[in-house]
Structures are given as structure tokens and as C-alpha cells.
Amino acid sequence: MPSAYIERSNEPLIGAIDQGTTSSRFLVFNTNGDLIASHQLSFTQLYPRPGWHEHDPEELVSSVEECIDVAIDSLERLGPYSRDLIQAVGIANQRETTVVWDSETGKALHNAIVWTDARSQDIVHELRQRPGAEDLAARCGIPLSTYPSITKLLWLLDNAPEVQAAYERGTLAFGTVDSWLTYKLNGGVYRGVHVTDPSNASRTMFMDLESLKYDDDLLSWFGIDPTKIQLPRIVRSSDPESYGTLFGTSLRGVKITGCLGDQSAALVGQNGFSTGRAKNTYGTGCFLLCNVGPKPVLSEHGLLSTVAFDFGKGKAMYALEGSVAAAGSSVEFLKNSLGLIDSASDVTELAETVDDNGGCIFVTAFSGLFAPYWIHDARGTIFGLTGFTKKGHIARATLEATCFQTKAILDAMAKDSGRSLTDLAVDGGMCHSDLVMQTQADIIGIPVKRPMTLEATALGAAIAAGMAVGVWSSFEDLEKLEKSRAVFEPKITAKEASHRFARWEKAVEMSRGWLA
């Protein structure tokens, strides 16, 4: 317990749930965006078959609840702070990951199918043959692939008897992870809170990108009967009432007032409120978002059009997005599958044992390539192996793969938006590596700016929640949260960068067609 002699703080605090692909976290921020307390907990990754990736929905919830309790205990041990100072809680979540449950019992009907999962490949192939397939992206912003939630839902309806039965009864509830968490954290069937925000709803292929409402024509095209499935109500990303209150944990009774898909949250946390601001998050995957303003921009170069955030009238913004399927997960592959490193943090040290990649190019297409390539039958391939190749060369080629794919996305983004970035704001776990950041700057030819704190995703969730309850009242208020940054300037010539990228592009073409 804190000492009675320590002066108590009256400073408002905001909590943030950051529910990611490999771990859950709860973080507490003050009004200056400083991190006060946090706790992180990894949860089980399930790979029942090659190309399949699942999570236990109940473990997602329990990991979040444990993180809240441990973080609040740590907060109060600091002395001046108490849980009563927390004004609201925001949620940032892994997107596209699909959860289905029975609305009468509140029971999950299947493991969550994770955004990286590629089991719906055959469904995608069949859908692409249907008339109108080429027009879908213009309405919902996303091309057909195994990535969005719709193909995962269709697989469940075709292959999971409990899901099929609930659909026929009309008790099937669908949600991305934000909806499932909000539902369970509110007490499940006790309150029946079933909501989502536009940044998450735009990842399903159900929502019209301009109206921010479910599109009956889209649902019909996919063969979904809206009378047999309960879809979450779409509400603003920052809302004082719609997300309910925590039913349990040590924060029982505290309101949930913000919700953003994790990549939108990172854009918000990087102060990306104005047109032209962009960020790249290096997590399990790698996600580059550029704010394109209050109207969606449809990509002609392999990018996704998505909702950046909706903070109310005049404060809704859209983004162009490029997604790399394997970033941090490729480092995990070196550790778990190849045994080249003992922990992910060792990869930079291994890569620095050599001066370059030794001619190795590693196309990390473990489940195909995402934007801007969208090559679904590509698989992970390493080119250029010789008797000279060492572990360090493979480690360096692994890190470079993420940087090359980021370069491809930036090039596509410049073509779609008509403007090139002058610098790139970054965050996420791989950003701790100076080698990765310098390599990225070298390949893209512009400065890379890394903030002193890399908690942009959680901070974005906190901002959404805080805006709803008046902790911050305007985007101008949030300018003070901009922290000092480390800047990585390019150190190689544009000619050398172009040569390296050309070799990468050649390797990408050679990685096609491996899915038999």
C-alpha cells in the first residue's frame, strides 16, 4: 500500500487495452501521453494445420482482464495514483480476426480465426469467379483475399456445425475482436453490448466505405442473410456511451469510451490527424497507413482503402493502407522453426555479425504476399544461398524483407495519392532495432522517425477514450503529446537502393506458384 505521507495525485488518467496477435496488454497514460503503468501477457497461438492460425476466444478475454488487474495493482503501488483517477478505457485490437458466439448463451462457437489464417483460399478462388467480384473493392475498400473477415465467416458457416446451427436459429453473433471483448467485458449476455467502430467494420467487407453502414447488397452478394446473423452496431470510434462499462476486474464500473483497430490506433497515437500524415507499425505484421482526408481514396495500385477513425462530425478520416503479412512473425520463425536465435531480441545481434545479406533474399511469404502484390500462392522462399551463406546472412535478409515490402507499399501509395512522403513515422516492436530502422531509411530514401516511446497503438486507444470524456477536447490539444524522435537518415545512394530493391522484386516474381 502507498504511504499515507505521499501526496495523492488528482491527475486524470486514461486506460488502454491493446489486444494484439500474440499478447494482450493494459496500459495507463496521463494527459501528457506519458506511460504510468502497464502489464503484458502472452497467450496461446494455435496452428491446427499448415496455414491455419487460431486463438481461444476465452483466453483473449481472460488475458485482458488479468492485465487490467496487474497493471492497476502496479499503478497503486507507485504511491500517488489510485484507480479512481482512471476516467475511461479505450480498446485497440487485432483486426479481421473473427469470433462467433451464440447470443443466447454467450458461448464462443469456435476458436477465433486469426487475420493471418489462409484456410479460406478455396472460398476466395470461388468468389473471384462470381460476377461483380471486381467491383467489391470500390464499395468496401478491400479486395477479395483470405485477409478480411468475410472469408473466415463463410468458412465457419460451411465447416463448423455449431456455427451453422446458430445461424439457422438466428442466434449467431459475429464480431471482430473489439466486439467480442466489449461484449464480454460488459458481462456478456447480462448486458448484451454488441458494437464495433468503423475502423474495424471496414475490415469485414460488409460495410459501405462512404456511408459507414452495413450494405445489404454486399451481404447478399456473399450469401449472408442479415436476419440470421447478429452483426455489431457500428458506432463512433470515440463515444461516451455506446461501449458500456467494465463489469468485472479492479476497474468495475469504469466506462469504455473508445475503440480503434490497432493500426488506426497507431495512426492516432502518432498524431496522424491531418491529410498526408503516415505511420508504419512493425508488429507481427507490418502496416503502413496514410491519412487521405475526409473522403475515401480508392487504390489502383494494390492498397486497401479503410476508415482511419471516426471521432464524430467533421472528425472522420480515411486512410490508404498497405499490409505486410510477416514482419515480427518472420523473426519468430527464425527462433521457433529454424532455431537460429534464442529470443527475438537476438536477431539484430546475429544480423550484425555480417556486413550485408551475402546475396540472400528472403521472401517471407508464409501465407502469401499482401499489399501491394496480393500473390496468394507465394510461399516463403530464400534465394541466393551459397556455400558462403551464414546464419547472419539469413537473419539480415529476414529483416530486410520487411523493409523491402514497406518500400513497395510506399511506392504504391505515392501513385494513388499523388504525393510522396518526406519522412516516415514508425512504431512497433521491430523499431527497437537500430539496424532495422537504418536499413529502412536506406531502402526508402527518406528519413525514418522513431519516437522515444513506441506505445503508439495503446496511446491511440487512450486518445479515442479520452476525447469522448473531455480529457482532451480537440486535435490541437493532442499536439503536446508529440514526443521527441530519433531520426535515421539514408546512408546509401539512390542508385544502390534501387539496385537492392530490383533484386527483391525479382525474388518476389520467383516466389509465385508454390501453393499446390
Side-chain angles (χ1 to χ4, degrees), residues 436-455:
V436 173
M437 295 296 92
Q438 186 58 58
T439 301
Q440 187 67 87
D442 289 344
I443 290 172
I444 63 178
I446 57 176
V448 169
K449 296 185 175 182
R450 180 181 66 191
M452 294 299 104
T453 174
L454 299 178
E455 305 296 353

Side-chain angles (χ1 to χ4, degrees), residues 315 392-393 418:
K315 295 180 180 178
H393 295 125

